[in-house]
Coordinates of all heavy atoms in Angstrom, one line a residue:
Y1 N -11.1 10.4 -4.2 CA -9.7 10.7 -4.7 C -9.7 12.2 -5.2 O -10.7 12.6 -5.9 CB -9.4 9.7 -5.9 CG -8.2 10.1 -6.7 CD1 -7.0 9.9 -6.2 CD2 -8.3 10.6 -7.9 CE1 -5.8 10.3 -6.9 CE2 -7.2 10.9 -8.7 CZ -6.0 10.8 -8.1 OH -4.9 11.1 -8.8
V2 N -8.6 12.9 -4.9 CA -8.4 14.3 -5.4 C -7.1 14.2 -6.1 O -6.1 13.9 -5.5 CB -8.4 15.3 -4.2 CG1 -8.3 16.6 -4.8 CG2 -9.8 15.2 -3.5
D3 N -7.1 14.6 -7.4 CA -5.8 14.7 -8.1 C -5.1 16.0 -7.9 O -5.6 16.9 -7.2 CB -6.0 14.3 -9.5 CG -6.7 15.3 -10.4 OD1 -6.9 16.5 -9.9 OD2 -7.1 14.9 -11.5
N4 N -4.0 16.1 -8.5 CA -3.2 17.4 -8.3 C -3.8 18.6 -9.0 O -3.3 19.7 -8.8 CB -1.8 17.2 -8.9 CG -1.7 16.7 -10.3 OD1 -2.6 16.2 -10.9 ND2 -0.6 17.0 -11.0
N5 N -4.8 18.4 -9.9 CA -5.6 19.6 -10.5 C -6.8 19.9 -9.7 O -7.6 20.7 -10.0 CB -5.9 19.2 -11.9 CG -4.7 19.1 -12.8 OD1 -3.8 19.9 -12.7 ND2 -4.7 18.1 -13.7
G6 N -7.1 19.2 -8.6 CA -8.3 19.5 -7.8 C -9.5 18.7 -8.2 O -10.5 18.9 -7.6
N7 N -9.3 17.8 -9.2 CA -10.5 17.0 -9.6 C -10.8 16.0 -8.5 O -9.9 15.3 -8.1 CB -10.2 16.3 -10.9 CG -9.9 17.3 -12.1 OD1 -10.8 18.2 -12.2 ND2 -8.9 17.1 -12.8
R8 N -12.1 15.8 -8.3 CA -12.5 14.9 -7.2 C -13.3 13.7 -7.8 O -14.1 14.0 -8.7 CB -13.3 15.5 -6.1 CG -12.5 16.6 -5.4 CD -13.2 17.3 -4.3 NE -14.7 17.3 -4.4 CZ -15.5 17.7 -3.5 NH1 -15.0 18.0 -2.3 NH2 -16.8 17.8 -3.6
M9 N -13.0 12.5 -7.4 CA -13.7 11.4 -7.9 C -14.2 10.5 -6.7 O -13.3 10.2 -5.8 CB -12.9 10.5 -8.8 CG -12.4 11.2 -10.1 SD -11.3 10.4 -11.2 CE -11.3 8.7 -10.7
P10 N -15.5 10.1 -6.7 CA -15.9 9.2 -5.6 C -15.4 7.8 -5.7 O -15.1 7.3 -6.8 CB -17.4 9.3 -5.7 CG -17.6 9.5 -7.1 CD -16.5 10.4 -7.6
G11 N -15.3 7.0 -4.6 CA -14.8 5.6 -4.7 C -14.2 5.2 -3.4 O -14.0 6.0 -2.5
N12 N -13.8 3.9 -3.3 CA -13.2 3.4 -2.1 C -11.7 3.1 -2.2 O -11.0 3.1 -1.3 CB -14.0 2.2 -1.7 CG -15.4 2.4 -1.2 OD1 -15.7 3.4 -0.6 ND2 -16.3 1.6 -1.6
V13 N -11.3 2.7 -3.5 CA -9.9 2.2 -3.7 C -9.4 3.0 -4.9 O -10.0 2.9 -5.9 CB -9.9 0.7 -3.9 CG1 -8.5 0.2 -4.2 CG2 -10.5 0.0 -2.7
F14 N -8.2 3.6 -4.7 CA -7.6 4.2 -5.8 C -6.1 3.9 -5.8 O -5.4 3.7 -4.8 CB -7.7 5.8 -5.7 CG -9.1 6.2 -5.8 CD1 -9.9 6.4 -4.7 CD2 -9.7 6.4 -7.1 CE1 -11.2 6.8 -4.8 CE2 -11.0 6.7 -7.2 CZ -11.8 7.0 -6.1
S15 N -5.5 3.9 -7.0 CA -4.1 3.8 -7.2 C -3.7 4.6 -8.4 O -4.3 4.5 -9.4 CB -3.7 2.3 -7.4 OG -2.3 2.2 -7.5
V16 N -2.6 5.3 -8.3 CA -2.2 6.2 -9.5 C -0.7 6.1 -9.7 O 0.0 5.5 -8.8 CB -2.5 7.7 -9.2 CG1 -4.0 7.9 -9.1 CG2 -1.7 8.2 -8.0
G17 N -0.2 6.3 -10.9 CA 1.2 6.3 -11.2 C 1.5 4.9 -12.0 O 0.6 4.1 -12.2
S18 N 2.7 4.9 -12.4 CA 3.2 3.8 -13.3 C 3.1 2.4 -12.7 O 2.9 1.5 -13.3 CB 4.6 4.1 -13.8 OG 5.5 4.2 -12.8
G19 N 3.2 2.4 -11.3 CA 3.1 1.1 -10.6 C 1.7 0.7 -10.2 O 1.5 -0.3 -9.5
S20 N 0.7 1.6 -10.6 CA -0.6 1.3 -10.0 C -1.3 0.0 -10.5 O -2.1 -0.5 -9.8 CB -1.6 2.5 -10.4 OG -1.7 2.6 -11.8
I21 N -0.9 -0.5 -11.6 CA -1.5 -1.7 -12.0 C -1.1 -2.9 -11.1 O -1.9 -3.7 -10.9 CB -1.1 -2.1 -13.5 CG1 0.4 -2.2 -13.7 CG2 -1.8 -1.2 -14.5 CD1 0.8 -2.8 -15.0
Y22 N 0.1 -2.8 -10.5 CA 0.5 -3.8 -9.6 C -0.2 -3.6 -8.2 O -0.6 -4.5 -7.6 CB 2.0 -3.8 -9.4 CG 2.7 -3.9 -10.6 CD1 3.4 -2.9 -11.3 CD2 2.7 -5.2 -11.3 CE1 4.0 -3.1 -12.5 CE2 3.4 -5.3 -12.6 CZ 4.0 -4.3 -13.1 OH 4.7 -4.4 -14.3
A23 N -0.3 -2.4 -7.8 CA -1.1 -2.1 -6.6 C -2.5 -2.4 -6.7 O -3.0 -3.0 -5.7 CB -0.9 -0.5 -6.3
Y24 N -3.2 -2.2 -7.8 CA -4.6 -2.6 -7.9 C -4.8 -4.0 -7.8 O -5.8 -4.4 -7.3 CB -5.1 -2.1 -9.3 CG -5.7 -0.7 -9.2 CD1 -5.4 0.3 -10.1 CD2 -6.7 -0.4 -8.4 CE1 -5.9 1.5 -10.1 CE2 -7.3 0.9 -8.3 CZ -6.9 1.8 -9.2 OH -7.5 3.1 -9.1
G25 N -3.9 -4.8 -8.3 CA -4.0 -6.3 -8.1 C -4.1 -6.7 -6.6 O -4.9 -7.5 -6.2
V26 N -3.3 -6.1 -5.8 CA -3.3 -6.3 -4.3 C -4.6 -5.7 -3.7 O -5.3 -6.4 -2.9 CB -2.0 -5.8 -3.7 CG1 -2.1 -5.9 -2.2 CG2 -0.8 -6.4 -4.2
L27 N -4.9 -4.5 -4.1 CA -6.1 -3.9 -3.5 C -7.3 -4.6 -3.9 O -8.2 -4.8 -3.0 CB -6.1 -2.4 -4.0 CG -5.0 -1.5 -3.5 CD1 -5.1 -0.1 -4.3 CD2 -5.1 -1.3 -2.0
D28 N -7.5 -5.0 -5.2 CA -8.7 -5.6 -5.6 C -8.9 -7.0 -4.9 O -10.0 -7.4 -4.6 CB -8.7 -5.8 -7.1 CG -8.9 -4.6 -7.9 OD1 -9.4 -3.6 -7.3 OD2 -8.6 -4.6 -9.1
S29 N -7.8 -7.7 -4.6 CA -8.0 -9.0 -3.9 C -8.0 -8.9 -2.4 O -8.6 -9.8 -1.8 CB -6.7 -9.9 -4.3 OG -5.6 -9.3 -3.8
G30 N -7.6 -7.8 -1.9 CA -7.6 -7.7 -0.4 C -8.6 -6.8 0.3 O -8.8 -6.8 1.5
Y31 N -9.2 -5.9 -0.5 CA -10.1 -4.8 0.1 C -11.4 -5.5 0.6 O -12.0 -6.3 -0.2 CB -10.4 -3.7 -0.9 CG -11.3 -2.7 -0.4 CD1 -10.9 -1.8 0.5 CD2 -12.7 -2.7 -0.8 CE1 -11.8 -0.8 1.0 CE2 -13.6 -1.8 -0.3 CZ -13.2 -0.9 0.7 OH -14.1 0.0 1.2
R32 N -11.8 -5.0 1.7 CA -13.1 -5.3 2.3 C -13.6 -4.0 2.9 O -12.9 -3.2 3.4 CB -13.1 -6.4 3.4 CG -12.6 -7.7 3.0 CD -12.7 -8.7 4.1 NE -12.7 -8.2 5.5 CZ -11.6 -7.9 6.3 NH1 -10.4 -8.3 5.8 NH2 -11.6 -7.4 7.5
S33 N -15.0 -3.8 2.8 CA -15.5 -2.5 3.3 C -15.5 -2.4 4.9 O -15.6 -1.4 5.4 CB -17.0 -2.3 2.8 OG -17.7 -3.4 3.4
D34 N -15.3 -3.6 5.5 CA -15.3 -3.7 7.0 C -13.9 -3.7 7.6 O -13.8 -4.2 8.8 CB -16.2 -4.8 7.5 CG -15.6 -6.2 7.1 OD1 -14.9 -6.3 6.2 OD2 -16.1 -7.1 7.7
M35 N -12.9 -3.4 6.9 CA -11.5 -3.5 7.4 C -11.2 -2.6 8.6 O -11.7 -1.5 8.6 CB -10.5 -3.2 6.3 CG -10.6 -4.1 5.1 SD -9.5 -3.6 3.8 CE -7.9 -4.3 4.4
S36 N -10.4 -3.1 9.5 CA -10.0 -2.2 10.6 C -8.8 -1.3 10.1 O -8.4 -1.5 8.9 CB -9.4 -3.0 11.7 OG -8.1 -3.6 11.3
D37 N -8.6 -0.2 10.8 CA -7.5 0.7 10.4 C -6.2 -0.1 10.1 O -5.5 0.1 9.1 CB -7.3 1.8 11.4 CG -8.4 2.8 11.4 OD1 -9.3 2.8 10.5 OD2 -8.4 3.6 12.3
T38 N -5.9 -1.0 11.0 CA -4.6 -1.7 10.9 C -4.6 -2.6 9.7 O -3.6 -2.7 9.0 CB -4.4 -2.6 12.2 OG1 -4.4 -1.7 13.3 CG2 -3.1 -3.4 12.1
E39 N -5.8 -3.3 9.4 CA -5.9 -4.1 8.2 C -5.7 -3.3 6.9 O -5.0 -3.6 6.0 CB -7.2 -4.8 8.1 CG -7.3 -5.9 9.2 CD -8.7 -6.5 9.3 OE1 -9.7 -5.7 9.2 OE2 -8.8 -7.7 9.4
A40 N -6.4 -2.1 6.9 CA -6.3 -1.2 5.7 C -4.9 -0.7 5.5 O -4.4 -0.6 4.4 CB -7.3 0.0 5.9
Q41 N -4.2 -0.4 6.6 CA -2.9 0.1 6.6 C -1.9 -1.0 6.0 O -1.1 -0.7 5.1 CB -2.4 0.6 7.9 CG -3.1 1.9 8.3 CD -3.0 2.1 9.7 OE1 -2.4 1.5 10.5 NE2 -3.8 3.2 10.2
E42 N -2.1 -2.2 6.4 CA -1.3 -3.2 5.9 C -1.6 -3.6 4.5 O -0.7 -3.8 3.6 CB -1.5 -4.5 6.8 CG -0.7 -5.7 6.2 CD 0.8 -5.5 6.2 OE1 1.4 -4.6 6.9 OE2 1.5 -6.2 5.4
L43 N -2.8 -3.5 4.1 CA -3.2 -3.7 2.6 C -2.6 -2.6 1.8 O -2.0 -2.9 0.7 CB -4.7 -3.7 2.5 CG -5.2 -3.8 1.0 CD1 -4.8 -5.2 0.4 CD2 -6.8 -3.7 0.9
G44 N -2.7 -1.4 2.3 CA -2.0 -0.3 1.5 C -0.5 -0.5 1.4 O 0.1 -0.2 0.4
R45 N 0.1 -0.9 2.5 CA 1.6 -1.2 2.6 C 1.9 -2.2 1.5 O 2.9 -2.1 0.8 CB 2.0 -1.6 3.9 CG 3.5 -1.8 4.2 CD 3.8 -2.2 5.6 NE 3.4 -1.1 6.5 CZ 2.3 -1.2 7.4 NH1 1.6 -2.2 7.4 NH2 2.2 -0.1 8.2
R46 N 1.1 -3.3 1.5 CA 1.4 -4.4 0.5 C 1.2 -3.9 -0.9 O 2.0 -4.3 -1.8 CB 0.6 -5.6 0.9 CG 1.0 -6.4 2.1 CD 0.2 -7.6 2.3 NE 0.6 -8.3 3.5 CZ 1.5 -9.2 3.6 NH1 2.1 -9.6 2.5 NH2 1.8 -9.9 4.7
A47 N 0.2 -3.1 -1.1 CA -0.1 -2.6 -2.5 C 1.1 -1.7 -3.0 O 1.6 -1.9 -4.1 CB -1.4 -1.9 -2.5
I48 N 1.6 -0.9 -2.1 CA 2.6 0.1 -2.5 C 3.9 -0.8 -2.6 O 4.7 -0.6 -3.5 CB 2.9 1.1 -1.4 CG1 1.6 2.0 -1.3 CG2 4.1 2.0 -1.7 CD1 1.6 2.9 -0.1
Y49 N 4.2 -1.8 -1.7 CA 5.3 -2.6 -1.9 C 5.4 -3.2 -3.3 O 6.4 -3.3 -4.0 CB 5.4 -3.7 -0.8 CG 6.2 -4.9 -1.3 CD1 7.6 -4.8 -1.2 CD2 5.6 -6.1 -1.7 CE1 8.4 -5.9 -1.7 CE2 6.4 -7.1 -2.2 CZ 7.7 -7.1 -2.1 OH 8.5 -8.1 -2.6
H50 N 4.2 -3.9 -3.7 CA 4.2 -4.6 -4.9 C 4.4 -3.6 -6.1 O 5.0 -3.9 -7.1 CB 2.9 -5.3 -5.1 CG 2.9 -6.6 -4.4 ND1 3.6 -7.7 -4.8 CD2 2.4 -7.0 -3.2 CE1 3.4 -8.7 -3.9 NE2 2.7 -8.3 -2.9
A51 N 3.9 -2.4 -6.0 CA 4.2 -1.4 -7.1 C 5.6 -1.0 -7.1 O 6.2 -0.9 -8.2 CB 3.3 -0.1 -6.8
T52 N 6.2 -0.8 -6.0 CA 7.6 -0.4 -6.0 C 8.5 -1.6 -6.3 O 9.6 -1.3 -6.9 CB 8.1 0.2 -4.6 OG1 7.9 -0.8 -3.6 CG2 7.2 1.4 -4.3
H53 N 8.1 -2.8 -6.0 CA 9.0 -3.9 -6.4 C 8.9 -4.2 -7.8 O 10.0 -4.6 -8.4 CB 8.5 -5.1 -5.6 CG 9.3 -6.4 -5.8 ND1 10.6 -6.5 -5.4 CD2 9.0 -7.5 -6.4 CE1 11.1 -7.7 -5.7 NE2 10.2 -8.3 -6.3
R54 N 7.8 -4.0 -8.5 CA 7.7 -4.4 -9.9 C 7.9 -3.3 -10.8 O 8.1 -3.5 -12.0 CB 6.3 -5.0 -10.1 CG 6.1 -6.3 -9.3 CD 6.8 -7.4 -10.0 NE 6.5 -8.7 -9.2 CZ 7.3 -9.7 -9.2 NH1 8.4 -9.7 -10.0 NH2 7.0 -10.7 -8.5
D55 N 7.8 -2.1 -10.4 CA 7.9 -0.9 -11.2 C 9.1 -0.1 -10.9 O 9.2 0.5 -9.8 CB 6.7 -0.1 -11.2 CG 6.7 1.1 -12.1 OD1 6.7 0.9 -13.3 OD2 6.8 2.2 -11.6
A56 N 10.1 0.0 -11.7 CA 11.4 0.8 -11.4 C 11.1 2.3 -11.2 O 11.9 2.8 -10.6 CB 12.3 0.6 -12.6
Y57 N 10.0 2.8 -11.7 CA 9.9 4.3 -11.5 C 9.0 4.6 -10.3 O 8.6 5.8 -10.1 CB 9.1 4.8 -12.8 CG 10.0 4.5 -14.0 CD1 9.7 3.5 -14.9 CD2 11.1 5.3 -14.3 CE1 10.5 3.2 -16.0 CE2 11.9 5.1 -15.4 CZ 11.6 4.0 -16.2 OH 12.4 3.8 -17.3
S58 N 8.6 3.6 -9.5 CA 7.8 3.8 -8.3 C 8.5 4.1 -7.1 O 7.9 4.4 -6.0 CB 6.8 2.6 -8.1 OG 5.9 2.6 -9.1
G59 N 9.8 4.1 -7.1 CA 10.5 4.5 -5.9 C 11.0 3.2 -5.1 O 10.7 2.1 -5.4
G60 N 11.6 3.4 -3.9 CA 11.9 2.3 -3.1 C 11.6 2.4 -1.6 O 12.0 1.6 -0.8
V61 N 10.8 3.4 -1.3 CA 10.4 3.6 0.2 C 8.9 3.5 0.2 O 8.2 4.2 -0.6 CB 10.9 4.9 0.7 CG1 10.4 5.1 2.1 CG2 12.5 5.0 0.7
V62 N 8.3 2.8 1.1 CA 6.9 2.6 1.3 C 6.5 3.4 2.5 O 6.9 3.2 3.6 CB 6.5 1.1 1.5 CG1 5.1 0.9 1.7 CG2 7.0 0.3 0.3
R63 N 5.7 4.5 2.2 CA 5.2 5.3 3.2 C 3.8 5.2 3.4 O 3.0 5.3 2.4 CB 5.6 6.8 2.9 CG 7.1 7.1 3.0 CD 7.3 8.6 2.6 NE 8.7 8.8 2.5 CZ 9.4 8.7 1.3 NH1 8.9 8.4 0.2 NH2 10.7 8.9 1.4
V64 N 3.3 5.0 4.6 CA 1.9 4.8 4.9 C 1.4 5.9 5.8 O 2.0 6.1 6.9 CB 1.6 3.4 5.6 CG1 0.1 3.2 5.9 CG2 2.0 2.3 4.6
Y65 N 0.4 6.6 5.4 CA -0.2 7.7 6.2 C -1.7 7.3 6.5 O -2.3 6.7 5.6 CB -0.1 9.0 5.5 CG 1.3 9.5 5.3 CD1 2.1 9.1 4.3 CD2 1.8 10.4 6.2 CE1 3.4 9.6 4.2 CE2 3.1 10.9 6.1 CZ 3.9 10.5 5.1 OH 5.1 11.0 4.9
H66 N -2.2 7.8 7.6 CA -3.7 7.7 7.9 C -4.2 9.1 7.8 O -3.8 9.9 8.6 CB -3.9 7.0 9.3 CG -5.3 6.8 9.5 ND1 -5.7 5.8 10.4 CD2 -6.4 7.2 8.9 CE1 -7.0 5.6 10.3 NE2 -7.5 6.5 9.5
I67 N -5.1 9.2 6.8 CA -5.7 10.6 6.6 C -7.1 10.6 7.1 O -7.9 9.8 6.7 CB -5.6 11.0 5.1 CG1 -4.2 10.9 4.6 CG2 -6.2 12.4 4.8 CD1 -3.9 11.1 3.1
K68 N -7.4 11.6 7.9 CA -8.8 11.8 8.4 C -9.2 13.1 8.2 O -8.4 14.0 7.7 CB -8.8 11.5 10.0 CG -8.4 10.0 10.3 CD -8.6 9.8 11.8 CE -8.1 8.4 12.2 NZ -8.4 8.2 13.7
E69 N -10.5 13.5 8.6 CA -10.9 14.9 8.4 C -10.1 15.9 9.2 O -10.0 17.0 8.7 CB -12.4 14.9 8.8 CG -13.4 14.2 7.9 CD -14.8 14.3 8.4 OE1 -15.1 15.1 9.2 OE2 -15.6 13.5 7.9
D70 N -9.6 15.5 10.3 CA -8.9 16.5 11.2 C -7.4 16.5 10.9 O -6.6 17.1 11.7 CB -9.2 16.3 12.7 CG -8.8 14.9 13.1 OD1 -8.6 14.0 12.3 OD2 -8.8 14.7 14.3
G71 N -6.9 15.8 9.9 CA -5.5 15.8 9.7 C -5.0 14.4 9.3 O -5.7 13.5 9.1
W72 N -3.6 14.2 9.3 CA -3.0 13.0 9.0 C -2.0 12.5 10.0 O -1.4 13.4 10.8 CB -2.4 13.1 7.6 CG -1.4 14.2 7.4 CD1 -1.6 15.4 7.0 CD2 0.1 14.1 7.7 NE1 -0.4 16.2 7.0 CE2 0.6 15.3 7.5 CE3 0.9 13.1 8.2 CZ2 2.0 15.6 7.6 CZ3 2.2 13.4 8.3 CH2 2.8 14.6 8.1
T73 N -1.7 11.3 10.0 CA -0.7 10.7 10.9 C 0.2 9.8 10.0 O -0.3 9.0 9.2 CB -1.4 9.8 12.0 OG1 -2.3 10.6 12.7 CG2 -0.3 9.2 13.0
K74 N 1.5 9.9 10.2 CA 2.4 9.0 9.5 C 2.4 7.7 10.3 O 2.7 7.7 11.5 CB 3.8 9.6 9.5 CG 4.8 8.8 8.7 CD 6.1 9.5 8.7 CE 7.1 8.8 7.9 NZ 8.4 9.7 7.8
I75 N 2.2 6.6 9.6 CA 2.1 5.3 10.2 C 3.5 4.6 10.2 O 4.0 4.2 11.2 CB 1.0 4.4 9.6 CG1 -0.4 5.1 9.6 CG2 1.0 3.0 10.3 CD1 -0.9 5.4 11.0
T76 N 4.0 4.4 8.9 CA 5.3 3.8 8.7 C 6.0 4.4 7.6 O 5.4 5.0 6.7 CB 5.2 2.3 8.5 OG1 4.3 2.1 7.4 CG2 4.6 1.5 9.7
E77 N 7.3 4.2 7.6 CA 8.2 4.5 6.4 C 9.2 3.4 6.4 O 10.0 3.3 7.3 CB 8.8 5.9 6.6 CG 9.8 6.2 5.4 CD 10.2 7.7 5.5 OE1 9.4 8.6 5.6 OE2 11.5 7.8 5.4
E78 N 9.1 2.5 5.4 CA 10.0 1.3 5.3 C 10.6 1.2 4.0 O 10.0 1.5 2.9 CB 9.2 0.0 5.6 CG 8.6 0.1 7.0 CD 7.6 -1.1 7.3 OE1 6.4 -0.9 6.9 OE2 8.0 -2.1 7.7
D79 N 11.8 0.7 3.9 CA 12.5 0.5 2.7 C 11.9 -0.8 2.1 O 11.6 -1.7 2.7 CB 14.0 0.1 3.0 CG 14.8 0.1 1.7 OD1 14.7 -0.9 0.9 OD2 15.6 1.0 1.5
N80 N 11.7 -0.6 0.7 CA 11.1 -1.7 0.0 C 11.8 -3.0 0.1 O 11.2 -4.2 0.2 CB 10.9 -1.3 -1.5 CG 10.1 -2.3 -2.3 OD1 8.9 -2.5 -1.9 ND2 10.6 -2.8 -3.4
K81 N 13.1 -3.0 0.2 CA 14.0 -4.2 0.4 C 13.6 -4.9 1.7 O 13.5 -6.2 1.7 CB 15.5 -3.8 0.4 CG 16.4 -4.9 0.7 CD 17.9 -4.4 0.7 CE 18.0 -3.3 1.6 NZ 18.6 -3.3 2.8
D82 N 13.4 -4.1 2.8 CA 13.2 -4.8 4.1 C 11.7 -5.4 4.0 O 11.6 -6.6 4.6 CB 13.1 -3.7 5.2 CG 14.5 -3.1 5.4 OD1 15.5 -3.8 5.1 OD2 14.5 -1.9 5.8
L83 N 10.8 -4.8 3.3 CA 9.5 -5.4 3.2 C 9.5 -6.7 2.3 O 8.9 -7.6 2.6 CB 8.5 -4.4 2.6 CG 8.0 -3.3 3.6 CD1 7.1 -2.3 2.9 CD2 7.2 -3.9 4.8
H84 N 10.4 -6.6 1.3 CA 10.5 -7.8 0.5 C 10.9 -9.0 1.3 O 10.3 -10.1 1.1 CB 11.6 -7.5 -0.6 CG 11.8 -8.7 -1.6 ND1 11.0 -9.0 -2.5 CD2 12.8 -9.6 -1.5 CE1 11.4 -10.2 -3.1 NE2 12.6 -10.5 -2.6
Y85 N 12.0 -8.9 2.1 CA 12.4 -10.0 2.9 C 11.4 -10.4 4.0 O 11.2 -11.6 4.2 CB 13.7 -9.7 3.5 CG 14.8 -9.7 2.5 CD1 15.5 -8.5 2.3 CD2 15.2 -10.8 1.7 CE1 16.5 -8.4 1.3 CE2 16.2 -10.8 0.8 CZ 16.8 -9.6 0.5 OH 17.8 -9.5 -0.4
K86 N 10.6 -9.4 4.5 CA 9.6 -9.7 5.5 C 8.5 -10.5 4.9 O 8.0 -11.5 5.4 CB 9.0 -8.4 6.0 CG 7.8 -8.5 7.0 CD 7.3 -7.2 7.4 CE 6.0 -7.4 8.1 NZ 5.4 -6.1 8.4
Y87 N 8.0 -10.1 3.7 CA 6.9 -10.8 3.1 C 7.3 -12.1 2.5 O 6.5 -13.1 2.6 CB 6.3 -9.9 1.9 CG 5.6 -8.7 2.4 CD1 5.6 -7.5 1.7 CD2 5.0 -8.6 3.7 CE1 4.9 -6.4 2.2 CE2 4.4 -7.5 4.2 CZ 4.3 -6.4 3.4 OH 3.7 -5.2 3.9
A88 N 8.6 -12.2 2.1 CA 9.1 -13.6 1.6 C 9.2 -14.6 2.7 O 8.7 -15.7 2.6 CB 10.5 -13.3 1.0
E89 N 9.6 -14.1 3.9 CA 9.6 -14.9 5.1 C 8.2 -15.4 5.5 O 8.0 -16.6 5.8 CB 10.3 -14.2 6.3 CG 10.4 -15.1 7.5 CD 11.2 -14.3 8.6 OE1 12.1 -13.5 8.3 OE2 10.8 -14.4 9.8
E90 N 7.2 -14.5 5.5 CA 5.8 -14.8 5.9 C 5.3 -15.9 4.8 O 4.6 -16.8 5.3 CB 4.9 -13.5 5.8 CG 5.2 -12.6 6.9 CD 4.4 -11.3 6.8 OE1 3.6 -11.2 5.9 OE2 4.6 -10.4 7.6
K91 N 5.6 -15.7 3.6 CA 5.1 -16.6 2.6 C 5.7 -18.0 2.8 O 5.0 -19.0 2.6 CB 5.5 -16.1 1.2 CG 4.9 -16.9 0.0 CD 5.3 -16.2 -1.3 CE 4.8 -17.0 -2.5 NZ 5.0 -16.3 -3.7
T92 N 7.0 -18.0 3.2 CA 7.7 -19.4 3.4 C 7.0 -20.0 4.6 O 6.8 -21.2 4.5 CB 9.2 -19.1 3.6 OG1 9.7 -18.5 2.5 CG2 9.9 -20.4 4.0
K93 N 6.8 -19.3 5.6 CA 6.1 -19.9 6.8 C 4.7 -20.4 6.5 O 4.3 -21.5 7.1 CB 6.0 -18.8 8.0 CG 7.4 -18.6 8.6 CD 7.3 -17.5 9.7 CE 8.6 -17.2 10.3 NZ 8.5 -16.1 11.3
R94 N 4.0 -19.7 5.7 CA 2.6 -20.1 5.3 C 2.7 -21.5 4.5 O 1.7 -22.2 4.6 CB 1.9 -19.1 4.6 CG 1.3 -18.0 5.4 CD 0.3 -17.1 4.6 NE 0.8 -16.7 3.3 CZ 1.4 -15.6 3.0 NH1 1.6 -14.7 3.9 NH2 1.7 -15.3 1.8
S95 N 3.7 -21.6 3.7 CA 3.8 -22.8 2.9 C 4.3 -24.0 3.5 O 4.3 -25.1 3.0 CB 4.6 -22.5 1.6 OG 5.9 -22.2 1.9
Q96 N 4.8 -23.9 4.8 CA 5.3 -25.1 5.5 C 4.3 -25.9 6.2 O 3.3 -25.5 6.5 CB 6.3 -24.6 6.5 CG 7.6 -24.0 5.7 CD 8.6 -23.5 6.7 OE1 8.5 -23.4 7.9 NE2 9.8 -23.2 6.2

């Protein structure tokens, strides 16, 4: 993790900001060291969704980027409302 002051901290999972406590709940329960890129991106998406859904100051758009040594790629940009209905539908299907 590198913060806006250039401080670097080692680790595998980070969340910052007022909604980070909600994101950490998702990250702590879903992170595995052997995740595929797609799995990691979905975990990040869900973590950001939960932070934005529960914290009024976290915004309403979930942006997922894949950052590598040679640059970054934008994966998705979705409205939190759309993800809310998508995840609610998935939860309903699982419970049936």
